[in-house]
Amino acid sequence: MSGKPLRAAFFLCGCAAFLNLYATQGILRELAAAFGVSAEHAGQGVSATTLAVAIIAPFVGTIAAPYARRTVIAGAAMVSALPALWAAHAGGFASFLAARFAVGMLMPFVFAISVSFIGECFSREEAAEVSALFVAGTTLGGFAGRFVTNACVAGLGWRHALDVVAALSLAAGAAIYAWLPRQAPMQAEARARDHVMPSRLQLFTRPSLLAAFGFGACVLASQVATFTFAGLRLAQPPYRFGTAQIGAIYAVFLLAMVVTPLAGRIARHRSPRDLAVWAAWLALAGALLTLAHGLVPILLGLALGSTAVFVEQAAANAFISQTTDAARPTAIGLYLSFYYLGGSLGSVLPVAAWRLWGWSGCVAFVIGAQALAGLLAWRFWREDARQPASLLRARALMR
C-alpha cells in the first residue's frame, strides 16, 4: 500500500487514538448525578485516562518492539473497546475511574507507534505532511468521541452512549488492520541504527527535547482546561446549554481538520519552531476571545484555540521525528508522557481558579500555559532541527 490509501490509513489511526480519550468530557453532569460526586470531580474521568497515558507512554516503544506495527496499532484500538464497555457499566465512581485508566493504558500504543511508523514509511518531507494528516485524524476522533457520546445521551442514556463509542473503537481497529501494511520496508542503514538506541537518560540531557516535552505538557493542559470548563460555563446562565448542545461545541475541532494538513504542507518549507510559535500566538488570541459574553466570539475563540493546539501538536511531532532518528519511538513515548501528564493537570489545576474567578480564572491558566509553550519552542527549538539528527552529527564531525 502506498500513496493516498496509506495516508488515509494513518488518518484513521489518528481517529482511533483519540476516539475514547475524551468521550466523557461533555457528560460531567450526568456522571456527577450517577455517581454522587461534583461535576468538577467527574472530570477526573478525563484525568485518569491521560494519567495512564503519561505513565505507560515511555515504555511503549520497548513493549511493542517485537511485534508488527500494524498488529500493535490495530490491536490496541480494538482491545480499548473492552475497558470502554467497563466504564459504561461501572457500578461506582472508583470502578469508573479504573476503567478510564485502563483505556488510557492502551492509547499510547495507537498514537506513539503510528507516529513512529509514519517516520518509517515516508521520507522526512513527506513524514511532516503525513504527521499533520495524522493529527487531523486525532481532531476528528476527539470530536467524534465527544459528539457521539453527547448526541446519544438523550435517547440512550450516558451508559449506552459510551457503548456506541466502544463499538466505533472496535470498528476503527478492524479497518486499521485491513488498511495498514504489516511492516514498512526499512533500509539496512535504518536497521543498523535501531541496534544503537540512546537511553532515556541520554534523551533527557538534550535541552531541545526537554523543551519539546514541556511544550507538549503546556499545550494539552491548555486544551483540557479550556474544554473541561467551557462546558460547565455554557451550562450556566445566560447560555443554559443542554448536554447535546455542549457536545455540539466540539464541532469547533473540525476547523483543525482543514488547517492542520495545510500546516503540514507549510512544515515542508518552514521549521517546526516557526509553526509552534505562530500557533501559540493564535492560541492566546483564541483564549482572549472567549472572555466575551456573546456566543459567537466564544465559539470563535474556542475554534481558534483548538486549531492552534492541533497545529502545535503537529509541529512537536515533526520536531521530535526530525531530531531523534533511531530513538524516535522512545522520544515520542516520553513526549506523550509529558503531553498527557499536562492533560491530567489541565482538568485539576484550574479548579481553584474556576471556583474563585469563574471562566476568567480558567482563561488566565490557559494564557499562562500557552505563553510558556511558545517561549520553550522559540528559545530551544533551533532552525537546524529541520535536518535529520544523523546529518547534523555528520556536519559536526566535518567542522
Side-chain angles (χ1 to χ4, degrees):
M1 180 185 292
S2 60
K4 291 183 179 179
L6 183 55
R7 291 168 186 248
F10 281 116
F11 178 85
L12 185 59
C13 289
C15 292
F18 270 54
L19 190 59
N20 254 312
L21 208 56
Y22 300 110
T24 64
Q25 194 173 44
I27 56 170
L28 300 186
R29 292 182 300 170
E30 286 74 13
L31 295 174
F35 296 121
V37 298
S38 68
E40 292 89 346
H41 285 149
Q44 292 175 4
V46 175
S47 299
T49 310
T50 53
L51 179 61
V53 175
I55 292 172
I56 196 67
F59 309 101
V60 164
T62 302
I63 296 171
Y67 309 102
R69 304 296 202 204
R70 180 184 66 179
T71 302
V72 173
I73 298 167
M78 288 188 284
V79 172
S80 70
L82 296 178
L85 290 172
W86 172 15
H89 299 282
F93 192 56
S95 178
F96 172 77
L97 292 181
R100 293 295 297 165
F101 188 88
V103 168
M105 292 190 71
L106 290 165
M107 290 303 94
F109 290 94
V110 180
F111 193 107
I113 303 305
S114 293
V115 174
S116 181
F117 202 19
I118 289 170
E120 296 171 7
C121 291
F122 297 93
S123 67
R124 184 181 66 85
E125 292 78 9
E126 290 177 318
E129 187 175 345
V130 178
S131 291
L133 188 63
F134 169 82
V135 172
T138 70
T139 305
L140 179 60
F143 164 73
R146 294 169 170 104
F147 181 79
V148 169
T149 300
N150 283 60
C152 292
V153 164
L156 302 176
W158 71 267
R159 293 186 185 275
H160 290 308
L162 293 181
D163 287 341
V164 173
V165 176
L168 290 175
S169 297
L170 186 63
I176 288 169
Y177 189 84
W179 293 357
L180 279 183
R182 185 177 181 275
Q183 286 280 27
M186 296 178 65
Q187 296 179 351
E189 179 185 357
R191 289 195 186 99
R193 288 200 307 266
D194 283 345
H195 292 291
V196 188
M197 292 282 291
S199 68
R200 294 182 183 88
L201 181 60
Q202 287 175 310
L203 292 176
F204 273 116
T205 62
R206 295 175 59 177
S208 61
L209 284 180
L210 283 176
F213 300 156
F215 176 89
C218 292
V219 164
L220 192 59
S222 71
Q223 176 85 318
V224 171
T226 297
F227 284 92
T228 296
F229 293 95
L232 297 179
R233 179 197 185 191
L234 293 174
Q236 297 175 343
Y239 311 104
R240 300 185 184 278
F241 273 30
T243 301
Q245 290 172 304
I246 290 174
I249 68 172
Y250 299 115
V252 300
F253 285 8
L254 299 180
L255 177 62
M257 285 185 59
V258 178
V259 175
T260 307
L262 293 176
R265 295 181 183 179
I266 294 173
R268 299 182 70 159
H269 309 289
R270 302 295 298 270
S271 71
R273 177 177 180 257
D274 291 343
L275 205 60
V277 171
W278 282 109
W281 279 112
L282 182 64
L284 292 175
L288 291 172
L289 263 178
T290 64
L291 291 172
H293 294 291
L295 189 56
V296 171
I298 290 174
L299 293 178
L300 179 59
L302 292 176
L304 292 178
S306 63
T307 299
V309 165
F310 287 110
V311 172
E312 287 170 321
Q313 170 73 321
N317 285 346
F319 177 81
I320 294 172
S321 186
Q322 291 172 14
T323 56
T324 50
D325 283 344
R328 188 180 295 120
T330 302
I332 292 170
L334 287 170
Y335 170 79
L336 280 180
S337 182
F338 280 83
Y339 185 71
Y340 286 106
L341 179 60
S344 298
L345 296 176
S347 63
V348 176
L349 293 182
V351 169
W354 165 259
R355 290 174 176 169
L356 288 173
W357 302 295
W359 181 248
S360 298
C362 293
V363 170
F365 175 85
V366 170
I367 288 175
Q370 282 290 345
L372 180 56
L375 180 62
L376 287 171
W378 177 80
R379 174 64 180 83
F380 293 100
W381 295 11
R382 300 303 181 189
E383 294 297 328
D384 60 10
R386 296 177 62 192
Q387 304 298 329
S390 56
L391 179 58
L392 295 177
R393 286 194 295 269
R395 287 182 175 178
L397 291 173
M398 293 172 64
R399 291 174 182 171

